[in-house]
Coordinates of all heavy atoms in Angstrom, one line a residue:
F1 N 0.8 -1.2 0.0 CA 0.0 0.0 0.0 C 0.9 1.3 0.0 O 0.6 2.2 -0.7 CB -0.9 0.0 1.2 CG -1.8 1.2 1.3 CD1 -3.0 1.3 0.5 CD2 -1.5 2.3 2.1 CE1 -3.8 2.4 0.5 CE2 -2.4 3.4 2.1 CZ -3.5 3.4 1.3
Y2 N 1.9 1.3 0.8 CA 2.8 2.5 0.9 C 3.9 2.5 -0.1 O 4.7 3.4 -0.1 CB 3.3 2.6 2.3 CG 2.2 3.0 3.3 CD1 1.8 2.1 4.3 CD2 1.6 4.2 3.2 CE1 0.8 2.4 5.2 CE2 0.6 4.6 4.1 CZ 0.2 3.7 5.1 OH -0.8 4.0 6.0
L3 N 4.0 1.5 -0.9 CA 5.1 1.4 -1.9 C 5.0 2.6 -2.9 O 4.0 2.9 -3.5 CB 5.0 0.1 -2.7 CG 6.2 -0.2 -3.6 CD1 7.5 -0.4 -2.8 CD2 5.9 -1.5 -4.4
G4 N 6.1 3.3 -3.0 CA 6.2 4.5 -3.9 C 5.6 5.7 -3.3 O 5.5 6.7 -4.0
K5 N 5.1 5.7 -2.1 CA 4.5 6.9 -1.5 C 5.4 7.7 -0.6 O 4.9 8.7 0.0 CB 3.2 6.5 -0.8 CG 2.2 5.9 -1.7 CD 0.9 5.6 -1.0 CE -0.1 5.1 -2.0 NZ -1.3 4.6 -1.4
S6 N 6.7 7.4 -0.5 CA 7.6 8.1 0.3 C 7.9 9.5 -0.4 O 8.1 9.6 -1.6 CB 8.9 7.4 0.4 OG 8.8 6.3 1.2
V7 N 7.8 10.6 0.4 CA 8.0 11.9 -0.1 C 9.5 12.1 -0.3 O 9.9 12.8 -1.3 CB 7.4 12.9 0.8 CG1 7.7 14.4 0.3 CG2 5.9 12.7 1.0
T8 N 10.3 11.6 0.5 CA 11.8 11.7 0.4 C 12.5 10.4 0.2 O 11.9 9.3 0.3 CB 12.3 12.3 1.8 OG1 12.1 11.4 2.8 CG2 11.7 13.7 2.1
G9 N 13.7 10.5 -0.2 CA 14.5 9.2 -0.5 C 15.2 8.8 0.7 O 15.1 9.4 1.8
P10 N 15.9 7.7 0.6 CA 16.1 6.9 -0.6 C 14.9 6.0 -0.9 O 14.1 5.7 0.0 CB 17.3 6.0 -0.2 CG 17.3 5.9 1.3 CD 16.6 7.2 1.8
T11 N 14.9 5.5 -2.1 CA 13.8 4.6 -2.6 C 14.4 3.2 -2.6 O 15.6 3.0 -2.6 CB 13.3 5.0 -4.0 OG1 14.4 4.8 -4.9 CG2 12.9 6.5 -4.0
P12 N 13.5 2.2 -2.7 CA 14.0 0.8 -2.8 C 14.9 0.6 -4.0 O 15.9 -0.1 -3.9 CB 12.7 0.0 -3.0 CG 11.6 0.9 -2.5 CD 12.0 2.3 -2.7
H13 N 14.6 1.3 -5.1 CA 15.5 1.1 -6.3 C 16.9 1.7 -6.0 O 17.9 1.1 -6.6 CB 14.8 1.8 -7.5 CG 15.6 1.7 -8.8 ND1 15.7 0.5 -9.5 CD2 16.4 2.6 -9.4 CE1 16.5 0.7 -10.5 NE2 16.9 1.9 -10.5
D14 N 17.0 2.7 -5.2 CA 18.3 3.3 -4.9 C 19.2 2.4 -4.0 O 20.4 2.5 -4.2 CB 18.1 4.7 -4.2 CG 17.4 5.7 -5.1 OD1 17.4 5.6 -6.4 OD2 16.7 6.6 -4.5
V15 N 18.6 1.7 -3.1 CA 19.4 1.1 -2.1 C 19.3 -0.4 -1.9 O 20.2 -1.0 -1.4 CB 19.1 1.7 -0.7 CG1 19.4 3.2 -0.7 CG2 17.6 1.5 -0.3
L16 N 18.3 -1.0 -2.4 CA 18.1 -2.5 -2.2 C 18.9 -3.3 -3.2 O 18.9 -3.0 -4.4 CB 16.7 -2.9 -2.3 CG 15.8 -2.5 -1.1 CD1 14.4 -3.1 -1.3 CD2 16.4 -2.9 0.2
E17 N 19.6 -4.3 -2.7 CA 20.3 -5.3 -3.5 C 19.6 -6.6 -3.3 O 19.3 -6.9 -2.1 CB 21.8 -5.4 -3.2 CG 22.6 -4.1 -3.4 CD 24.0 -4.1 -2.9 OE1 24.4 -5.2 -2.4 OE2 24.6 -3.1 -3.0
V18 N 19.4 -7.4 -4.3 CA 18.7 -8.7 -4.2 C 19.6 -9.7 -3.5 O 20.7 -10.0 -4.0 CB 18.3 -9.2 -5.6 CG1 17.5 -10.5 -5.4 CG2 17.4 -8.1 -6.3
P19 N 19.2 -10.2 -2.3 CA 20.0 -11.2 -1.5 C 19.8 -12.6 -2.0 O 19.3 -13.5 -1.3 CB 19.4 -11.0 -0.1 CG 18.0 -10.6 -0.3 CD 17.9 -9.8 -1.6
V20 N 20.3 -12.9 -3.2 CA 20.1 -14.2 -3.8 C 20.8 -15.3 -3.0 O 20.2 -16.3 -2.7 CB 20.6 -14.2 -5.3 CG1 20.5 -15.6 -5.9 CG2 19.8 -13.2 -6.1
F21 N 22.1 -15.1 -2.7 CA 22.8 -16.1 -2.0 C 22.2 -16.5 -0.6 O 22.0 -17.7 -0.3 CB 24.3 -15.7 -1.7 CG 25.0 -16.7 -0.9 CD1 25.4 -17.9 -1.3 CD2 25.3 -16.3 0.5 CE1 26.1 -18.8 -0.5 CE2 26.0 -17.2 1.3 CZ 26.4 -18.4 0.8
Y22 N 21.8 -15.5 0.1 CA 21.2 -15.7 1.5 C 19.8 -16.3 1.4 O 19.4 -17.1 2.2 CB 21.2 -14.4 2.3 CG 22.6 -13.9 2.5 CD1 23.1 -12.8 1.9 CD2 23.5 -14.7 3.3 CE1 24.4 -12.3 2.1 CE2 24.8 -14.3 3.5 CZ 25.3 -13.1 2.9 OH 26.5 -12.7 3.1
T23 N 19.1 -16.0 0.3 CA 17.8 -16.6 0.0 C 18.0 -18.1 -0.3 O 17.2 -18.9 0.2 CB 17.1 -15.9 -1.1 OG1 16.8 -14.5 -0.7 CG2 15.8 -16.6 -1.5
I24 N 19.0 -18.4 -1.1 CA 19.3 -19.8 -1.4 C 19.6 -20.6 -0.1 O 19.2 -21.7 0.1 CB 20.4 -19.9 -2.4 CG1 19.9 -19.4 -3.8 CG2 20.9 -21.4 -2.5 CD1 20.9 -19.3 -4.8
C25 N 20.4 -19.9 0.8 CA 20.7 -20.6 2.1 C 19.5 -20.9 2.9 O 19.3 -22.0 3.4 CB 21.6 -19.6 2.9 SG 23.3 -19.5 2.3
L26 N 18.6 -19.9 3.0 CA 17.4 -20.1 3.8 C 16.5 -21.2 3.2 O 16.0 -22.1 3.9 CB 16.6 -18.8 4.0 CG 15.4 -18.9 5.0 CD1 15.9 -19.2 6.4 CD2 14.6 -17.6 4.9
L27 N 16.3 -21.1 1.9 CA 15.4 -22.1 1.3 C 16.0 -23.5 1.3 O 15.3 -24.5 1.4 CB 15.1 -21.7 -0.2 CG 14.3 -20.4 -0.3 CD1 14.0 -20.1 -1.7 CD2 13.0 -20.4 0.5
S28 N 17.4 -23.6 1.2 CA 18.0 -24.9 1.3 C 17.9 -25.5 2.7 O 17.8 -26.7 2.9 CB 19.5 -24.7 1.0 OG 19.7 -24.3 -0.3
S29 N 17.7 -24.6 3.7 CA 17.6 -25.2 5.1 C 16.2 -25.9 5.2 O 16.1 -26.7 6.1 CB 17.7 -24.0 6.1 OG 16.5 -23.2 6.0

């Protein structure tokens, strides 16, 4: 609901990196 409604930055596109390795670790568990 609040996605993209921030008046100031940073935005998800600016700062988030996709945690592929750590996701694989969790799903493998």
Side-chain angles (χ1 to χ4, degrees):
F1 181 79
Y2 290 112
L3 189 62
K5 294 186 179 174
S6 293
V7 179
T8 61
T11 66
H13 181 73
D14 297 333
V15 296
L16 289 184
E17 296 173 5
V18 182
V20 175
F21 173 73
Y22 298 112
T23 297
I24 290 170
C25 288
L26 188 64
L27 298 182
S28 298
S29 71

